[in-house]
Amino acid sequence: MRRLSVFNLTTLAFGLAFLYLPIAILVIYSFNDSRLVTVWGGWSTRWYAVLLHDRDLLAATLNSLAIALASATLATILGTMAALALTRFGRFRGRMLLSAMVYAPLVMPEVITGLSLLLLFVAADVDRGFSTITASHTTLTMCFVTIVVQSRLVDFDRSLEEAAMDLGCPPLRTFFSVTLPLIAPAVAAGFLLAFSLSLDDLVIASFTTGPGATTLPIRIYSEVRLGVKPEINAVCTVLVAVVATAIVMASLLSKRGAAAPGLPGR
């Protein structure tokens, strides 16, 4: 087994510190008693209490949660259907085009995606708001759901479906009774990943938002430009906790789905 050198360990430590030390400082200073965010005044949860009375931030938080929940649900449904099409229907006509369209948001810069969606909504004379952000986030996150579910379907034992249909089970009922329960961890992991990606998106939401549909990242960005308030540290800590929890749950569910046996539990 190859050992890590001192240089490799040092580089790894500096890399992890560069990524996570600012987040740790933000979390610590969210419990700062001082109004000055750069001056430590002792431990306190006062800014979390103040946050509960900030109507603008609470409204933006509710908007972000609602948009993330709606877009993640749509992305999970569409992504699962795309994964089934790419793994079950073989080399059908248009498969390459479908794959390219599904995976394009993975490599497309978010600025380009946001601008193209903005031009689409303007050309279609669609009022920008909750629905346009939800549609945009669905477009962004569907490809991630497709990848997660497709990786589970590649190793799926199709003899279970064939056995169910040989016993007279219709294809649709076979999917809901046999296939879906076995790929449920991957579907849930895709949902949580889509939820976290939608919750912290700023670029695409800033292009497709409208009056009354301000998301939490947009609200935080607009307030930070005028100076960081202690409440911002508190709400960012809450956002980090929610996103981290969703990512950890998605990772655990994905590993559970990959390690699941071919036969359902008895």
Side-chain angles (χ1 to χ4, degrees):
M1 183 176 179
R2 186 178 179 182
R3 296 182 179 180
L4 291 175
S5 64
V6 176
F7 175 77
N8 290 337
L9 288 175
T10 304
T11 304
L12 179 62
F14 274 106
L16 293 176
F18 180 79
L19 289 175
Y20 296 107
L21 187 59
I23 299 177
I25 294 175
L26 182 146
V27 173
I28 293 173
Y29 271 86
S30 69
F31 297 97
N32 185 15
D33 187 57
S34 174
R35 178 171 289 276
L36 300 176
V37 294
T38 57
V39 178
W40 181 255
W43 295 94
S44 175
T45 58
R46 59 180 294 196
W47 303 117
Y48 288 90
V50 173
L51 178 62
L52 295 177
H53 296 86
D54 193 327
R55 294 184 178 180
D56 293 333
L57 278 177
L58 289 178
T61 302
L62 292 177
N63 283 336
S64 291
L65 291 174
I67 291 171
L69 182 61
S71 62
T73 302
L74 292 174
T76 301
I77 295 173
L78 296 175
T80 302
M81 293 172 62
L84 287 169
L86 292 174
T87 55
R88 296 298 177 83
F89 295 158
R91 296 281 180 177
F92 59 89
R93 181 178 299 179
R95 187 180 189 278
M96 291 297 296
L97 179 61
L98 176 61
S99 299
M101 293 176 65
V102 169
Y103 299 136
L106 286 172
V107 296
M108 188 75 66
E110 290 190 2
V111 173
I112 303 300
T113 303
L115 180 59
S116 61
L117 289 170
L118 173 62
L119 295 176
L120 173 64
F121 295 140
V122 171
D125 194 22
V126 177
D127 293 333
R128 294 185 297 278
F130 181 91
S131 59
T132 54
I133 300 178
T134 301
S136 302
H137 284 183
T138 302
T139 303
L140 172 68
T141 59
M142 186 184 72
C143 57
F144 293 92
V145 179
T146 303
I147 290 176
V148 174
V149 177
Q150 187 177 4
S151 64
R152 179 68 182 94
L153 287 172
V154 168
D155 299 329
F156 187 82
D157 187 3
R158 297 196 63 181
S159 63
L160 300 174
E161 297 175 329
E162 295 172 355
M165 288 187 286
D166 287 342
L167 294 174
C169 188
L172 185 61
R173 185 176 178 182
T174 298
F175 173 77
F176 284 105
S177 300
V178 178
T179 308
L180 187 58
L182 291 176
I183 66 172
V187 174
F191 173 84
L192 292 173
L193 183 59
F195 181 85
S196 62
L197 290 172
S198 174
L199 189 62
D200 63 2
D201 174 71
L202 172 64
V203 178
I204 293 179
S206 63
F207 278 99
T208 58
T209 189
T214 302
T215 61
L216 183 59
I218 294 177
R219 185 70 189 181
I220 293 174
Y221 179 73
S222 63
E223 292 197 6
V224 165
R225 290 186 300 174
L226 302 177
V228 179
K229 299 190 301 183
E231 301 96 301
I232 298 297
N233 289 338
V235 73
C236 287
T237 300
V238 174
L239 185 61
V240 167
V242 172
V243 172
T245 302
I247 292 176
V248 169
M249 291 178 63
S251 178
L252 293 176
L253 288 172
S254 181
K255 291 182 179 179
R256 178 184 175 187
L263 291 173
R266 296 178 181 179

